[in-house]
Amino acid sequence: MSRLTAHELELSARVLLRRHGPAAPEEARRQAEACAPGRERHWVGTWLVIAELCEELLASAGPVTHPAG
């Protein structure tokens, strides 16, 4: 199991915010719930940390622009 650095976690949160806008924390929690028991169980905590980072970034940055696509 590899561990992500704080920088990698923040980058992951920013990518989710770019892709999902204000729904990013919810998407990260959905990913945590989708982790397979056993083999992917270690990712649950990672996704929950990313969800928290998304919430912090949303709170500190104000409105997030969601690219049209």
Side-chain angles (χ1 to χ4, degrees), residues 33-47:
E33 291 174 4
C35 290
R39 199 173 60 142
E40 296 177 345
R41 191 75 186 146
H42 63 278
W43 285 107
V44 172
T46 301
W47 281 113

Side-chain angles (χ1 to χ4, degrees), residues 5-68:
T5 66
H7 179 71
E8 291 168 327
L9 288 167
E10 184 176 340
L11 287 175
S12 297
R14 290 183 183 280
V15 168
L16 269 184
L17 284 168
R18 198 171 307 123
R19 291 182 181 166
H20 298 281
E26 182 180 319
E27 175 61 19
R29 286 187 187 87
R30 189 186 72 69
Q31 291 292 335
E33 291 174 4
C35 290
R39 199 173 60 142
E40 296 177 345
R41 191 75 186 146
H42 63 278
W43 285 107
V44 172
T46 301
W47 281 113
L48 294 176
V49 168
I50 292 170
E52 289 178 21
L53 287 171
C54 286
E55 289 173 342
E56 290 175 13
L57 289 168
L58 281 169
S60 68
V64 176
T65 57
H66 193 76

